[in-house]
Amino acid sequence: MVVSAPTGSGKTVLMVLAMLRLFFSKDLKKDVKRTKAVYIAPIKALATEKLNEWVKAFTPHGIRVQSVTGDTEGEHDDHIHSILNSDVIVTTPEKFDSVTRRWREAVIATCVRDIGLVLIDEVHLLSEQRGTVLEALVSRMKTIRSAHQRTNAVASHLRFVAISATMTNARDIGAWLSAPPANIYSFAPSDRPVPLTLHVLPFEAKTTPFLFEKYLTYKIPNILIEYGKGKPALVFCQTRRATAQTATYIADNLSIASSIDDVPADVANRQLVECLRKGTAFHHAGLSPQERHFVEALFLERKILILCTTSTLALGVNLPARLVIVKGTTHFVNGKAEELSDGMVMQMAGRAGRAGLDEEGVAVILSSRGQERRLNLLSNATTLVESKLGEFNIEHVNAEIVLRTINNVEIVMEWFRTTYYWIRVHSNPEYYGYGKISQTELDEKLTSQAAQIVTSLVSVSCVTQEPNGDLKATMIGRSMARNYLSFSSVYVIDRYACANIGVEAALETICRCGEFRELRLRQGEKKQLNTYNRLLKFPLQQSGKPKNVSEYWHKVYVLIQCWIQEVHIDDWSIKNDQGRVVCLFPRLLRHFIECGDFKGHALMIVRGYEILRYVKHKMWDTGQLLRQFDGIGTVMSSSLGNIGVSTFEDVKRADVGRLEQVTGRAPPFGLTLKNQASSLPTYNVAFKRDVGIMVHKTFVGESPVASYLVAATETDKMVCFRKIPDQHKYIAEFPIPPEAVTLRVYIVNETWIGIDTHRSFQLRAFPTEEVVQGEEMSMPTTVPEAPEPTKEAAPVYQKESKSGMPAKKEPAKADARTKPKKPQPKKDTLELQEVHLKMLQSLAKGTSPARQLPPPSCRYQLPIASEYAASEQERSRKASSPLCDRSPSVSLSPARSSLSFGFADRTPPNLRTADTCPLLDDELDVSCQLSFVDVDSSDALSPVSGEASQPLDLLDGLDIDTDPLPLPPPQTTAALAQPAAPRPCSTPGANPFKRRKFNLGLPDGTSALSMSAAPPAAPVPEARPASNI
C-alpha cells in the first residue's frame, strides 16, 4: 500500500491498523513464533517518538515493541537479541540496512524470514542522499524473500506500507513496491483536514547567504505580530547558531506574556535560560537531551509559544503550531549553499495547523526574489520523488557482492532492475543526465555505469575480477560492508595507509575519512578548536608551529584527541559533534586493522588496536592505567600512585589492606582489585627458528583479554597475524623471509592499555636452533630510513690470527685445483663460527654496529677481538671438557657493553669454560641464578661492589648490562691494525679492564656452569696492510 496525503490526515493511523491486522490474525501465545513488523523512520527523533507512543499502546495487548538504532559496532549482538524478542521493530534505514547485510547468517536469516510487514514513513526521503540506503534496503528485502521462495523455505508473506505527505508520483513508488493499483492512494493538499494558507514573502538577496539570513531575522517580530495572533509558532532556521540568535532577537524585541522562571539545574545553556525567562526558546541537536526534552514539553503544554528550531522538527515530530515561519530556503551542505528541496519546504510548512488543535494553519516562507515563482507553485502541487541511487550506488553494489547476490556485471544490471532508480531513470532520463535517448541506448549507458562501479571497487581492492568476469569480495570489501563504510573512506585509508605508520599519521588518516564530511566546520567554532589544538599530544602543526583549524578533518582530529585527553568542552554543539565522532571511530579503526592485515603492514594493525584502546578508556598509554578498573577514578588512581602503585604489576604485589586503606574502600575491594590485576595476562616471548614464536601467557583464572600475535620484519612486512588462544603456552609457526635481518613481535589487544608486549629478535644469515630472548623495542612513530646496502664484496673470514684479530682472506681466484671445503664435523676445540657479514663490514668501516643495525644479542656469535681483544692465553686455550650440543654460553657484545646468555653451538673464544654443562631441556622453564663478581679487586678504577644476582629463564635467555667493563671507542680501519692502547687511568699501574667471573646456578643451589671473561692483553699484531682488517 502507498499513501500520499497531507500532514495531519491520519497516515499514522493506517500504519497502526496494518500492524493490528498482522498481529491479531495470528496466535499471540508466547510459545508460538510470531510474524514481525518493521517501522522505518527517517530520523532517530521520530523513531524515539513512535517507540514511546507504541510501547504504551501495544504492551497491554501483549505486543512487544523494541528499538534498533545506534551507530556502534559493539551493539550488534544487542540488536539481534532485540529483533528476536520483539513483534514491532522501530529502526532507521541505516541501522536496519546494516542488520540485513548479514542476512545469510543463521540467526539474522531467521529474523528476516519472520518479517511480514515493512512500514516506511516519509518515503519521499528517497529523493535525498540518505534515501539510497532506504532504496537498497527495500530491494534487498525483496531479494531475500525471493531467495526464500526459491529454496522453499517457510517465510511470512511480505507486505509494504509507504506513506508521505509530499509526492505526486505515488504510482512509481507502488510499482517499485509491487503494490496493486487499487492499493495506491494520492490525496491533494486541498484535502487537508485543517486548511493551510501559504504566504511567500520575497526580499532582495544580499551579498552573502549569511548577511541575507541576518537580514531576515529583523523581519520575524513583525511577521509574528501579523500572522501569529498569540498562538504557538515555529520558526525554522537553517543553522543551529541562527536558532539561538533568532530566539534572542525575538525575546528582546517582542513583548511576550508567557515566561519560565523556574528552570531546572540540568538546563545549563545560559543563552537558552535567558530566552526561556523572556518567553521564547530554541531547539537543535547541539543541546543536551535533557534540554531538548524540557523545551519540547514546554511547547506542547503551551507554556512557550515561540520556538526557533532547525529542520529536525519538520520530519514528523509532533510539535503542532498554528504558524510556521521558514526563515530562508538556503541551507549549507558540506560548506556549500544550496536551496531546500520543494519536499522539505512543504514538510516544514505542513507543521502548521494540526487536527483537533487549530481551525487553520498558516505558513510564511521568507526567500529571495529569485525563488518566488517556484515557491508559489508549492501550494498547488507537490514534488516528484526521484532517486539518488545513481550517484551513491557503489557501497550498495559492494554489499551485494559480499552477500553473493551479485557475481558479475550482468547481475549488477539485474540488481538495478529491482531498484526505484531503474523505474525513474526510464521515466525521466533527462533528470539523470542522459537526455532524450532510446531505451536501448539508455540500457547501454547503464551497463557502462555498472562496469565503472566494478572497476572502482577493483581499484581499491574491494573486489577481484576473474578472467571469466566473476566477481569475488576481498577482505577489504567484506570489511567495508560489515563496518558500513562509504567508498570514500575506504579510498582514503587505502591511499594514506603505509608501512611503519605512527600513531599521529594513523589518527590523521582516520580523520580524513568520508564518514565525517557531514560534520560541518562552523565559523564560530574555529576559535575554540584552535584553543583546544594547543592542548593536544599531537597538535595540528605547520613548520613546527600550531596550525589553525580550517578543514572538516581538522575538527575531527581535534575532537577525538580532546575525548582521549578528557579536555572539557562547554559548547554543546561541539560536544554533540564529538559524540558522533567517537561513535564512528571504532568502525573505521576496525577497517583500518583489516586493511593492515590485507596489505601486510603490521604496524597498521598495532596502531589500530592502540587507538581503539585510547578511545575506549579516554587516555593515552602514559595515563593513569589503574583507571581502567571499575570503580577507580582519577582521584583514587592518583592516591594509589602516591604510594607507588601505578601499574598492574604494582597492584599484584601490593598489600590488600594497604590498597583498601589508601582508597578508603571497604573489604573485599582490595582482594577484588588484586584478582582483577592477576587475571590480566603477562607475556614472555621467545623465538626458535625451527619452531616459531613461543608465547608464555601468565594469568590467574580466566583471562578477560583477547590477544593477538603480530610478527613482521624490519621493513614492517607482516609474516604472522594470529589470535592467541586462552591458554598458557602458544607456539606460532610461520615462514620467515630469507632476507629478513630483524623479527619484530607484537602482542596486542583491543581492551587494556599497558599489557601489550613488543620484542625484537636479531636473525642470523644461517640456520640456527637457538632460543633467543627478544629485546624491548621502542615503537617507531615515523618511517625509519633504511640502511644503505653495502656495495663491497663480502669478506671471507678464517680462524683468528696470532694477534687475536680475524684474518681476512682474499677471495679465491678461479682455479681448477681449488675445491670447496666440505663441512667439518664438530670438534671439542673451540673454533670461530661464521659471523654476520653486515656487522663485520660496519666494524671494518669504523662505525658502531648499533648505528646501522639493532644491537647484537647472543644470536650473533661476533668475534669481539675487533674491539675487545682477548689475550694470547685465552685465544689458544681449549675447552677443559667436551661441550654438549645444547650448551649454554655467555658472550660479550661490544656494541652495548653487555653480557648475553643463551643457547649456542659453541662458546665464543674469549670465554673459558671451567665446568662441563649438563644437558638441559630447552622446552622446560628452568629458573636459574646468574651471578657475577669482580675478580680483579685490586683495580683502583672499579672497586669491588660485592655480588649481585638476577633470575634467568633458560628458555628465553638474558641480557645483563656490564658497564664496569670499559670498551675503547670505535676505531678506523687503520687504527684497528695497531695494538689497542689501554685507556688512561688515574692510578699508575692499574689495569683499566676488569676480569669478571660468571656463575650459573640451578634452583637447588648446585652450580651448572662457571665462566670468566679474561682481561685483554696488549698483543703485538703482525705487520699487515690495514685493508686486511
Side-chain angles (χ1 to χ4, degrees):
M1 177 183 289
V2 178
V3 179
S4 175
T7 302
S9 56
K11 296 186 295 298
T12 303
V13 176
L14 286 178
M15 293 192 294
V16 173
L17 291 175
M19 287 188 285
L20 293 177
R21 176 188 175 187
L22 175 74
F23 296 134
F24 287 100
S25 62
K26 303 290 181 180
D27 188 355
L28 294 181
K29 294 181 180 180
K30 293 184 178 180
D31 56 345
V32 177
K33 184 184 297 184
R34 310 185 214 185
T35 305
K36 302 180 185 298
V38 177
Y39 169 76
I40 303 175
I43 58 175
K44 289 183 183 179
L46 181 57
T48 302
E49 180 183 296
K50 297 303 180 186
L51 175 69
N52 296 333
E53 178 183 335
W54 289 344
V55 165
K56 295 178 181 179
F58 289 153
T59 301
H61 301 283
I63 300 175
R64 299 164 298 180
V65 183
Q66 295 282 350
S67 173
V68 181
T69 57
D71 296 317
T72 57
E73 177 76 15
E75 293 179 346
H76 273 317
D77 294 337
D78 294 338
H79 291 153
I80 295 173
H81 184 268
S82 298
I83 294 173
L84 287 172
N85 296 278
S86 62
D87 302 307
V88 179
I89 303 166
V90 179
T91 184
T92 57
E94 290 80 7
K95 193 60 206 178
F96 203 65
D97 183 35
S98 69
V99 172
T100 57
R101 287 185 181 189
R102 303 168 57 191
W103 73 270
R104 291 190 182 273
E105 300 177 16
V107 177
I108 300 294
T110 303
C111 297
V112 175
R113 188 171 60 242
D114 293 339
I115 295 175
L117 178 64
V118 178
L119 306 170
I120 306 174
D121 201 351
E122 311 289 357
V123 72
H124 61 268
L125 178 70
L126 290 169
S127 60
E128 301 179 10
Q129 178 179 342
R130 293 180 60 237
T132 61
V133 180
L134 177 62
E135 188 171 345
L137 168 62
V138 173
S139 297
R140 185 178 302 119
M141 293 291 295
K142 294 161 61 178
T143 301
I144 294 171
R145 192 49 47 95
S146 299
H148 286 155
Q149 292 174 352
R150 287 195 301 268
T151 59
N152 296 323
V154 178
S156 302
H157 175 71
L158 184 62
R159 185 185 183 199
F160 291 96
V161 175
I163 63 174
S164 174
T166 56
M167 65 176 178
T168 55
N169 54 337
R171 295 194 176 276
D172 288 337
I173 302 290
W176 174 49
L177 299 178
S178 303
N183 290 348
I184 301 174
Y185 303 91
S186 182
F187 297 91
S190 58
D191 294 328
R192 281 177 56 100
V194 177
L196 176 65
T197 304
L198 187 67
H199 300 277
V200 179
L201 304 182
F203 299 92
E204 291 294 335
K206 302 299 179 181
T207 55
T208 66
F210 295 103
L211 291 177
F212 185 63
E213 191 273 336
K214 188 175 182 179
Y215 170 76
L216 294 179
T217 303
Y218 304 143
K219 305 294 181 181
I220 300 299
N222 291 333
I223 295 174
L224 289 170
I225 294 173
E226 182 177 355
Y227 297 99
K229 297 183 179 181
K231 298 292 184 69
L234 283 173
V235 181
F236 284 102
C237 306
Q238 305 310 319
T239 65
R240 299 176 185 178
R241 185 179 182 183
T243 61
Q245 291 176 342
T246 304
T248 301
Y249 183 80
I250 294 173
D252 293 340
N253 294 273
L254 193 64
S255 178
I256 303 173
S258 62
S259 63
I260 303 297
D261 296 325
D262 186 14
V263 179
D266 55 5
V267 179
N269 191 301
R270 296 181 180 178
Q271 194 172 9
L272 177 61
V273 172
E274 291 298 322
C275 290
L276 289 172
R277 289 173 177 170
K278 296 179 181 180
T280 63
F282 56 88
H283 181 287
H284 56 70
L287 298 177
S288 68
Q290 296 80 6
E291 292 170 341
R292 292 199 301 270
H293 295 158
F294 180 67
V295 170
E296 292 169 6
L298 291 177
F299 191 76
L300 284 172
E301 295 171 4
R302 304 290 178 105
K303 294 181 179 179
I304 291 294
L305 298 180
I306 300 175
L307 178 61
C308 301
T309 181
T310 56
S311 59
T312 303
L313 298 185
L315 295 175
V317 178
N318 188 24
L319 288 179
R322 180 186 182 278
L323 172 65
V324 168
I325 301 175
V326 181
K327 200 186 82 169
T329 58
T330 301
H331 68 142
F332 295 90
V333 179
N334 296 329
K336 297 180 180 180
E338 296 183 2
E339 288 295 320
L340 290 171
S341 65
D342 294 349
M344 180 56 69
V345 174
M346 287 305 299
Q347 282 291 125
M348 295 177 179
R351 299 301 100 190
R354 305 295 295 209
L357 298 176
D358 300 296
E359 296 179 356
E360 66 170 345
V362 179
V364 180
I365 304 174
L366 310 182
S367 69
S368 61
R369 293 195 181 276
Q371 300 295 321
E372 180 181 4
R373 182 175 180 275
R374 175 179 73 94
L375 296 174
N376 280 325
L377 296 175
L378 293 179
S379 59
N380 300 320
T382 54
T383 57
L384 292 174
V385 177
E386 299 290 353
S387 172
K388 294 292 183 180
L389 187 63
E391 304 174 27
F392 306 97
N393 51 19
I394 189 167
E395 294 87 358
H396 305 294
V397 172
N398 175 76
E400 300 304 325
I401 293 175
V402 171
L403 290 170
R404 302 189 299 277
T405 306
I406 295 175
N407 56 14
N408 56 52
V409 177
E410 289 74 17
I411 304 298
V412 175
M413 287 296 296
E414 293 183 12
W415 179 78
F416 273 163
R417 292 186 178 94
T418 66
T419 63
Y420 182 65
Y421 171 72
W422 180 268
I423 295 175
R424 288 306 303 162
V425 76
H426 283 79
S427 301
N428 189 12
E430 293 89 348
Y431 177 84
Y432 297 93
Y434 293 111
K436 295 182 179 181
I437 58 177
S438 65
Q439 295 293 320
T440 303
E441 292 176 326
L442 179 60
D443 289 346
E444 291 177 354
K445 288 184 177 294
L446 292 175
T447 302
S448 177
Q449 181 184 2
Q452 182 60 42
I453 292 172
V454 172
T455 302
S456 299
L457 290 172
V458 172
S459 67
V460 294
S461 303
C462 287
V463 172
T464 59
Q465 190 169 17
E466 303 294 333
N468 61 358
D470 288 348
L471 302 176
K472 293 183 179 179
T474 65
M475 180 187 298
I476 299 295
R478 289 191 293 270
S479 175
M480 174 181 171
R482 181 173 56 256
N483 293 297
Y484 207 76
L485 302 181
S486 65
F487 178 77
S488 60
S489 295
V490 175
Y491 174 80
V492 166
I493 294 177
D494 179 76
R495 175 184 177 186
Y496 287 95
C498 62
N500 288 298
I501 193 169
V503 174
E504 185 175 2
L507 276 172
E508 179 179 330
T509 299
I510 300 299
C511 294
R512 288 178 179 270
C513 289
E515 307 321 280
F516 301 115
R517 289 187 180 275
E518 295 182 3
L519 292 179
R520 187 167 57 87
L521 179 61
R522 305 175 187 89
Q523 191 68 28
E525 298 173 344
K526 293 183 178 180
K527 183 177 180 180
Q528 298 178 65
L529 294 173
N530 288 331
T531 302
Y532 299 146
N533 182 49
R534 299 184 182 92
L535 306 175
L536 304 180
K537 181 177 182 179
F538 302 110
L540 292 166
Q541 290 185 338
Q542 187 174 15
S543 301
K545 297 181 180 179
K547 180 181 179 180
N548 288 333
V549 175
S550 58
E551 299 181 49
Y552 79 92
W553 74 266
H554 292 171
K555 176 179 179 179
V556 179
Y557 186 80
V558 171
L559 290 182
I560 192 62
Q561 291 194 72
C562 286
W563 171 268
I564 295 173
Q565 297 180 201
E566 295 188 290
V567 177
H568 180 68
I569 297 177
D570 294 322
D571 192 319
W572 264 101
S573 179
I574 298 179
K575 187 176 292 187
N576 186 68
D577 290 342
Q578 185 188 52
R580 185 173 182 185
V581 169
V582 172
C583 286
L584 291 173
F585 237 74
R587 294 195 342 233
L588 292 165
L589 285 170
R590 295 185 190 284
H591 178 77
F592 188 80
I593 292 170
E594 295 191 54
C595 185
D597 185 13
F598 181 81
K599 290 177 173 292
H601 297 330
L603 277 180
M604 284 186 64
I605 299 173
V606 176
R607 301 307 183 202
Y609 281 122
E610 286 179 349
I611 300 174
L612 264 176
R613 298 193 301 266
Y614 299 155
V615 174
K616 177 180 180 180
H617 295 291
K618 302 170 70 172
M619 71 170 75
W620 300 109
D621 51 8
T622 56
Q624 297 174 323
L625 300 181
L626 301 186
R627 281 172 43 209
Q628 299 174 80
F629 288 123
D630 293 335
I632 295 184
T634 303
V635 176
M636 193 177 295
S637 180
S638 300
S639 301
L640 291 171
N642 293 336
I643 63 170
V645 179
S646 58
T647 66
F648 303 132
E649 293 299 323
D650 295 338
V651 175
K652 295 177 186 178
R653 294 190 296 264
D655 179 70
V656 173
R658 182 64 169 157
L659 291 175
E660 294 170 347
Q661 178 184 6
V662 172
T663 58
R665 303 289 292 273
F669 175 79
L671 182 60
T672 302
L673 190 61
K674 286 178 67 70
N675 290 339
Q676 286 181 328
S678 299
S679 67
L680 298 179
T682 57
Y683 305 94
N684 197 0
V685 184
F687 172 75
K688 187 177 179 182
R689 185 180 288 271
D690 59 346
V691 175
I693 294 178
M694 292 169 283
V695 180
H696 285 246
K697 188 176 179 182
T698 305
F699 58 92
V700 177
E702 295 184 1
S703 176
V705 179
S707 304
Y708 301 89
L709 169 65
V710 186
T713 65
E714 66 278 2
T715 59
D716 200 33
K717 179 181 179 181
M718 189 173 65
V719 296
C720 177
F721 180 32
R722 314 267 178 84
K723 184 175 181 179
I724 301 176
D726 194 11
Q727 59 192 40
H728 289 278
K729 188 173 182 179
Y730 173 68
I731 297 178
E733 300 180 16
F734 54 89
I736 300 177
E739 71 278 5
V741 176
T742 304
L743 182 67
R744 301 175 180 173
V745 178
Y746 312 88
I747 307 294
V748 298
N749 78 97
E750 59 180 271
T751 310
W752 292 85
I753 302 173
I755 66 173
D756 283 6
T757 300
H758 305 148
R759 291 288 182 264
S760 177
F761 299 95
Q762 306 302 318
L763 305 179
R764 279 198 293 190
F766 55 91
T768 179
E769 293 184 351
E770 298 176 38
V771 179
V772 183
Q773 174 67 31
E775 301 168 359
E776 190 71 30
M777 181 171 52
S778 59
M779 298 289 288
T781 56
T782 58
V783 180
E785 295 184 0
E788 296 183 1
T790 178
K791 297 181 180 180
E792 302 178 7
V796 181
Y797 287 91
Q798 292 179 325
K799 288 198 276 186
E800 55 190 350
S801 64
K802 293 181 180 180
S803 62
M805 304 292 291
K808 179 181 177 182
K809 179 181 178 181
E810 296 293 337
K813 298 181 180 180
D815 191 347
R817 295 173 295 178
T818 304
K819 297 181 180 180
K821 295 182 179 180
K822 297 181 180 179
Q824 298 295 325
K826 296 182 178 180
K827 299 180 181 179
D828 295 340
T829 58
L830 295 175
E831 297 181 1
L832 281 176
Q833 297 215 12
E834 182 179 352
V835 295
H836 198 291
L837 298 182
K838 289 186 178 181
M839 296 297 297
L840 289 180
Q841 288 169 0
S842 64
L843 288 175
K845 293 178 181 179
T847 58
S848 170
R851 297 179 185 174
Q852 296 193 17
L853 295 172
S857 70
C858 59
R859 295 190 62 84
Y860 294 110
Q861 298 299 316
L862 185 65
I864 61 172
S866 300
E867 292 189 89
Y868 185 73
S871 65
E872 181 77 25
Q873 180 182 6
E874 290 299 325
R875 289 195 310 275
S876 60
R877 186 177 181 87
K878 295 182 179 180
S880 60
S881 59
L883 294 175
C884 60
D885 290 341
R886 299 296 294 161
S887 296
S889 65
V890 178
S891 62
L892 183 64
S893 171
R896 296 193 303 148
S897 300
S898 65
L899 250 143
S900 300
F901 178 87
F903 289 106
D905 295 334
R906 289 290 183 267
T907 304
N910 62 308
L911 299 175
R912 63 188 182 189
T913 305
D915 298 318
T916 302
C917 171
L919 183 62
L920 299 176
D921 186 357
D922 60 359
E923 296 299 320
L924 299 177
D925 290 336
V926 182
S927 179
C928 303
Q929 294 288 329
L930 181 66
S931 61
F932 50 95
V933 298
D934 290 321
V935 178
D936 296 331
S937 58
S938 60
D939 193 337
L941 287 180
S942 302
V944 178
S945 58
E947 179 172 337
S949 63
Q950 183 172 347
L952 171 66
D953 189 345
L954 289 183
L955 177 64
D956 301 321
L958 182 67
D959 268 353
I960 304 176
D961 292 334
T962 57
D963 288 337
L965 282 170
L967 292 175
Q971 302 178 16
T972 62
T973 305
L976 287 174
Q978 303 300 325
R983 189 179 66 175
C985 53
S986 58
T987 305
N991 183 2
F993 297 95
K994 300 189 67 61
R995 183 157 58 92
R996 269 219 170 159
K997 184 177 181 181
F998 304 87
N999 296 300
L1000 176 62
L1002 296 177
D1004 58 2
T1006 61
S1007 177
L1009 182 66
S1010 178
M1011 303 179 183
S1012 63
V1020 179
E1022 296 179 359
R1024 54 186 173 184
S1027 60
N1028 290 338
I1029 304 302

